[in-house]
Amino acid sequence: MYHMLPYAYRPQANYKRTQHGEFQNLVEGYVNKILRETDIVDAENPNGRKLFNSIDTFFSYGLLTGDGTYWRCIRTFLPRAEQKMLIAECGNANDRFLSVGWLKTSFNKGTLHFILLALNNQSNKAYLTKFYHINACIRNSGLLEAITQFIEKLQPVQFAFYSTRQLRAEPAPAAVIDSTPTQLSLRAQARQRKLTEKEASQDTVPNVIPTEIPSILSQAIDQDVLLDELVRTRHNRLNTELFDAQHEENNEDNAPSPSVIVEEKLEDVMTKKMSCVNMESMNPDGIEHILASVEPDDMVLPEYNLADGEYHFRMSQGDVLHLAINVFEKSSEKIIECFKVIESFHSDNMKLRYLVMTNYNVYVFKYRTHTQNSSPGKTTNLSSEGFFIPLFRMPHDRIKTIKISVDNLSFMLEANEEGFSHYVHSEEKDDQTVFAYVGSMAGLESGAHMINSLINLVEHSSRQITNHAEVDDHIGYMCMLQPNLEKQLGRTIDVRAATLCFWYEQTYEERERSTATKSGFLFKSNIGNWIKSSDEAEQKYCMIVGNNFNVFADSTCKTEELVISLSGSSINSTGRVAFQMKAAEGTFEFECPTQEDQIEWTRILTMIAENKTTQPYMASCLAVVTETCIALVQEGEKFWSDGFLRLLNEVGGINVKQSVVVRQPEDKESFFGNRSPALCLVTKDDTIHYFFVRFDKELERLASAVQSSYGVRWAKLDDDLIKTPIGKIIHNTCCSANTLWPV
């Protein structure tokens, strides 16, 4: 029985790090043979050719790009002048030819040893993680050091590699893999004989593909040979057909025109025979442009100004490679953009998700960080700090309707009768049970960016879509929101703005117990060390956040040295300005600058330790700014279908006497770098309403809407305002409400 296999079939290699020893012995054998040579080693020398292919495999094995182009990594260690000289020498070539050209030049000039010494530097090894897999040969410190020693022994040997055509035909595998022999049919054998006879009859010397099926480790090298073969064969065929067509047209003017031959595009042939994930895109470039493309000389990675909620450019190369191999539906699928969205915002089960848009599908992932005892299995991505787990796949041709809420805060994707695919334990299920997906961006600009990208992507999809998706630009949403809200308020309203936020109402009576937060410098010492003066103790910046007592090195709050849990702790005064704290973390003494500070610190710490404080409840809701009030409502789980919502509170515009804006800290490395921006409205009855939004731009939009609607100018919370009673209360409350939004 015969099995029909593709012409360029290659078995999948299950390579491991333990197989590097066999490759090391292979290189050592070639080096020992070359050391016995007394003449110049060139491409005609079989041992020299095999050594060259082995070192080429050493650099190309384990690349995250999977195309054997280690020129992007090596050029980092080369001077700018040497890079330009090599590019000029190789001519109009791609990065793969530049990689082999650099290796040929380094052998001839004897500079390969110095590059390997640079790679052995510990600081440079950290840079290799951007380009190589963790199981790559070059990231194996022992193997890298051994290869460096082998090349050092070859310093007296003179190499003279003039061409790389012969060198690229025999790549040495870095891992020994036993492939199952496949018996070819008579038709396949006849096809191979025909191809061999055709190559022998041509005038030019072709790049002969080895008869043996090579290892997948040398796939990138074989792709270049296959690329040359495809381009040359296609040009010869086009020239022959053009000459024959002109000859027939001149000799047989009255004859009927020949039938049009439907020719397969070269991009399609390459997509079938080569592993090119990014070859096909929404606007594919010509093959001539792809072959002539050379990356710019600037080695500094560009910095992108990410919009609010955008994530795409922060995704590592390992993440992209992992998704392309294990998750994406098609081999030519390409990531267009990625956003952080929120699911189930109006509930206690709020979750952060990653919406990844490709040229074929829209994916929804959840991200899980690595732990010491975690065993993620198939979803592990060793090149990042965590791994992405797929949840939904929404093909462009299945998206029926794109619904948008007011101010682009939320969106809903409806499916046609086929439904969306979902994943169960990383296995895709297409059982027609998921027909809608709802998410929130919680920002006007971020939502507009995401919605516009989604609409543009679906309209210009790589799939052939017969019925394009309909876009419901918040009209249907407002038809459900405004009538139900008017029914709750009992009057007609004019919706001027809206935002998703966490709302907290703080009355005058609740300020004392709900603002149990204090910060300042204290002198800390362990128990047993008597504090005689302030000079003998360590000055630390201390802060009470929730039920924890945080100790920092300085007021920047970047270096956190100690966290003491106040639940179950005991606080006792040990002097006029000192107090002692006994907790599970140990026993500590703190000295205050004044007696008044000691009394206040002791009172707040004792209140929290005795569980007399209550954590403020932040309600996730939609704040709707009307002409007379701010209505705070919560949507039901099926709001997009039934329009159900509940009214939490109503803040009258005429009752607002002060508006304070609390921005995010500029220093993102500080302890409060993730603090949510907030708009604080102080009413005439001394009640403070806190609106914690997701982005700074959303805060400015909400504050401007309140100012234009009610005539209350907003003030920024600065050092002068913090000294006032209202400013101190707002500062303490915002510090205790840290990390409300999922990050």
Side-chain angles (χ1 to χ4, degrees):
M1 183 177 180
Y2 297 100
H3 300 277
M4 301 300 294
L5 295 176
Y7 179 69
Y9 171 78
R10 298 178 179 88
Q12 184 177 3
N14 297 320
Y15 47 86
K16 299 180 180 179
R17 196 181 183 93
T18 56
Q19 295 174 317
H20 292 177
E22 302 177 14
F23 179 70
Q24 178 179 340
N25 298 332
L26 185 66
V27 176
E28 185 178 6
Y30 294 150
V31 171
N32 294 332
K33 293 178 182 179
I34 293 176
L35 288 176
R36 295 193 293 266
E37 297 286 342
T38 58
D39 200 356
I40 296 177
V41 179
D42 55 4
E44 300 296 332
N45 190 308
N47 294 323
R49 185 168 63 252
K50 292 178 181 179
L51 176 65
F52 184 95
N53 293 332
S54 300
I55 300 301
D56 177 63
T57 306
F58 172 77
F59 282 103
S60 60
Y61 173 66
L63 281 167
L64 295 178
T65 54
D67 53 2
T69 55
Y70 49 87
W71 165 252
R72 303 186 185 100
C73 177
I74 294 299
R75 68 178 184 179
T76 310
F77 306 94
L78 299 179
R80 183 68 62 86
E82 187 174 352
Q83 297 180 36
K84 294 184 178 180
M85 290 178 60
L86 185 60
I87 294 175
E89 179 184 352
C90 294
N92 194 9
N94 56 15
D95 288 346
R96 173 57 191 166
F97 281 91
L98 289 174
S99 303
V100 181
W102 165 82
L103 187 59
K104 172 182 70 69
T105 304
S106 61
F107 265 102
N108 296 339
K109 294 183 179 180
T111 58
L112 180 60
H113 174 62
F114 301 102
I115 294 295
L116 291 174
L117 288 177
L119 295 176
N120 278 275
N121 193 349
Q122 193 64 30
S123 60
N124 295 333
K125 288 182 180 179
Y127 185 77
L128 295 177
T129 58
K130 300 180 180 179
F131 299 95
Y132 287 91
H133 192 269
I134 190 173
N135 288 337
C137 293
I138 201 170
R139 291 189 62 182
N140 188 339
S141 300
L143 181 59
L144 178 60
E145 185 177 354
I147 297 295
T148 306
Q149 295 176 358
F150 295 155
I151 299 300
E152 184 180 7
K153 295 180 181 179
L154 297 176
Q155 291 297 318
V157 181
Q158 178 61 48
F159 293 91
F161 297 126
Y162 294 101
S163 175
T164 60
R165 291 289 176 177
Q166 302 179 22
L167 301 175
R168 292 188 295 111
E170 287 188 37
V176 179
I177 301 169
D178 296 331
S179 59
T180 305
T182 305
Q183 186 176 5
L184 300 178
S185 62
L186 296 177
R187 182 178 297 178
Q189 294 178 3
R191 181 183 180 185
Q192 288 188 358
R193 287 196 302 269
K194 183 178 179 181
L195 290 175
T196 306
E197 294 173 0
K198 181 179 179 181
E199 294 290 348
S201 62
Q202 295 177 354
D203 298 335
T204 59
V205 180
N207 291 323
V208 181
I209 301 177
T211 56
E212 297 182 358
I213 298 178
S215 169
I216 197 172
L217 303 176
S218 59
Q219 184 178 1
I221 302 176
D222 295 336
Q223 287 178 4
D224 289 338
V225 179
L226 183 60
L227 179 61
D228 296 340
E229 176 67 16
L230 288 172
V231 174
R232 184 177 56 78
T233 305
R234 182 173 183 266
H235 287 175
N236 292 339
R237 185 175 66 253
L238 292 178
N239 294 335
T240 304
E241 292 176 357
L242 180 62
F243 176 79
D244 295 339
Q246 293 178 354
H247 183 72
E248 293 179 1
E249 183 179 358
N250 295 332
N251 296 337
E252 302 178 2
D253 296 336
N254 299 327
S257 59
S259 59
V260 180
I261 301 177
V262 180
E263 181 183 352
E264 192 175 16
K265 295 183 180 180
L266 180 60
E267 290 82 353
D268 300 334
V269 178
M270 294 176 61
T271 304
K272 293 180 180 179
K273 292 182 175 294
M274 300 170 60
S275 176
C276 300
V277 177
N278 296 329
M279 178 64 68
E280 185 176 351
S281 60
M282 294 173 58
N283 296 315
D285 297 326
I287 186 63
E288 292 79 10
H289 177 73
I290 296 176
L291 294 177
S293 63
V294 179
E295 292 189 0
D297 297 335
D298 190 8
M299 295 176 296
V300 180
L301 295 177
E303 295 183 359
Y304 299 95
N305 295 324
L306 299 181
D308 292 335
E310 191 176 3
Y311 182 79
H312 172 54
F313 294 108
R314 295 181 183 178
M315 188 175 293
S316 65
Q317 295 180 354
D319 293 332
V320 177
L321 183 64
H322 171 74
L323 298 180
I325 294 176
N326 300 316
V327 180
F328 286 167
E329 177 193 16
K330 297 180 179 294
S331 60
S332 59
E333 204 159 354
K334 180 181 178 182
I335 295 179
I336 306 301
E337 280 192 280
C338 180
F339 295 91
K340 294 181 180 180
V341 301
I342 299 174
E343 289 182 3
S344 305
F345 175 76
H346 298 285
S347 65
D348 297 333
N349 195 22
M350 185 185 308
K351 297 176 182 178
L352 181 67
R353 296 292 183 251
Y354 293 84
L355 191 75
V356 179
M357 303 179 187
T358 68
N359 53 335
Y360 286 96
N361 302 281
V362 178
Y363 294 89
V364 178
F365 294 92
K366 66 178 179 180
Y367 187 78
R368 183 178 299 172
T369 56
H370 283 303
T371 58
Q372 295 181 356
N373 298 326
S374 63
S375 178
K378 296 182 180 180
T379 58
T380 305
N381 183 10
L382 298 177
S383 60
S384 64
E385 298 179 355
F387 50 93
F388 289 88
I389 302 176
L391 298 178
F392 300 101
R393 182 177 69 87
M394 295 171 279
H396 296 167
D397 55 353
R398 295 189 184 184
I399 299 178
K400 178 183 178 181
T401 309
I402 302 176
K403 295 184 178 181
I404 310 169
S405 69
V406 59
D407 290 342
N408 300 316
L409 301 176
S410 304
F411 64 95
M412 179 180 181
L413 303 181
E414 282 187 345
N416 54 18
E417 63 278 359
E418 297 181 9
F420 295 144
S421 301
H422 63 99
Y423 293 82
V424 178
H425 301 294
S426 299
E427 297 294 335
E428 185 175 355
K429 304 292 183 181
D430 197 359
D431 49 9
Q432 296 183 358
T433 58
V434 180
F435 291 93
Y437 177 78
V438 180
S440 301
M441 290 296 295
L444 173 62
E445 293 191 3
S446 59
H449 184 193
M450 192 277 297
I451 293 298
N452 292 334
S453 301
L454 180 62
I455 295 174
N456 185 42
L457 184 64
V458 173
E459 290 179 353
H460 301 84
S461 174
S462 296
R463 295 182 180 272
Q464 295 183 1
I465 302 176
T466 56
N467 297 324
H468 291 277
E470 300 178 359
V471 180
D472 187 357
D473 192 4
H474 80 267
I475 301 300
Y477 181 89
M478 289 299 298
C479 290
M480 293 183 294
L481 175 67
Q482 189 161 356
N484 286 276
L485 185 56
E486 291 178 349
K487 183 178 179 181
Q488 295 283 344
L489 296 176
R491 63 179 182 277
T492 304
I493 59 174
D494 179 21
V495 178
R496 299 185 176 182
T499 185
L500 293 176
C501 64
F502 285 89
W503 167 71
Y504 171 56
E505 181 183 11
Q506 187 180 58
T507 62
Y508 183 80
E509 293 79 10
E510 294 175 344
R511 292 181 185 177
E512 186 69 17
R513 60 184 182 182
S514 61
T515 58
T517 303
K518 184 174 175 58
S519 60
F521 284 98
L522 297 176
F523 292 93
K524 168 185 168 293
S525 66
N526 295 330
I527 193 67
N529 298 332
W530 182 254
I531 303 178
K532 296 181 180 180
S533 63
S534 299
D535 297 335
E536 297 181 7
E538 297 178 354
Q539 187 179 24
K540 303 296 180 182
Y541 188 79
C542 303
M543 180 178 298
I544 303 175
V545 181
N547 291 326
N548 294 328
F549 184 79
N550 302 78
V551 180
F552 301 94
D554 49 31
S555 58
T556 59
C557 299
K558 291 184 179 180
T559 305
E560 189 176 30
E561 297 183 352
L562 181 63
V563 179
I564 302 175
S565 178
L566 298 178
S567 299
S569 303
S570 60
I571 294 89
N572 301 316
S573 298
T574 57
R576 189 175 61 88
V577 294
F579 63 90
Q580 184 182 105
M581 182 183 302
K582 293 182 180 180
E585 293 77 11
T587 305
F588 307 94
E589 276 192 335
F590 295 91
E591 182 182 356
C592 305
T594 61
Q595 186 177 6
E596 289 77 10
D597 285 344
Q598 189 266 355
I599 296 174
E600 188 175 0
W601 276 103
T602 305
R603 180 183 60 82
I604 296 177
L605 291 172
T606 304
M607 183 187 306
I608 299 176
E610 295 178 356
N611 296 325
K612 293 183 179 180
T613 61
T614 57
Q615 293 294 330
Y617 175 71
M618 309 292 178
S620 56
C621 60
L622 174 68
V624 182
V625 181
T626 66
E627 72 281 4
T628 57
C629 69
I630 301 177
L632 302 168
V633 297
Q634 279 187 338
E635 299 175 358
E637 295 181 358
K638 300 180 180 180
F639 175 80
W640 291 86
S641 57
D642 56 14
F644 174 77
L645 56 84
R646 62 180 63 90
L647 180 64
L648 300 181
N649 200 350
E650 180 182 358
V651 181
I654 58 176
N655 297 327
V656 179
K657 67 176 182 180
Q658 188 177 1
S659 176
V660 180
V661 170
V662 182
R663 301 183 182 275
Q664 282 185 318
E666 297 180 358
D667 189 1
K668 300 301 180 182
E669 297 180 359
S670 65
F671 179 76
F672 297 101
N674 295 327
R675 186 181 67 188
S676 302
L679 175 64
C680 309
L681 300 180
V682 184
T683 59
K684 296 179 180 180
D685 57 351
D686 292 333
T687 301
I688 304 178
H689 295 271
Y690 298 87
F691 302 88
F692 296 96
V693 296
R694 190 179 183 189
F695 306 113
D696 279 333
K697 294 181 180 179
E698 191 68 9
L699 173 63
E700 296 177 1
R701 186 175 72 90
L702 178 61
S704 300
V706 172
Q707 179 176 334
S708 60
S709 300
Y710 314 129
V712 181
R713 298 182 60 87
W714 54 270
K716 182 180 178 181
L717 183 65
D718 51 10
D719 296 337
D720 296 334
L721 187 58
I722 292 178
K723 297 178 181 179
T724 62
I726 292 294
K728 185 178 181 180
I729 293 172
I730 292 176
H731 173 71
N732 292 342
T733 305
C734 292
C735 289
S736 62
N738 195 19
T739 62
L740 289 175
W741 297 87
V743 293

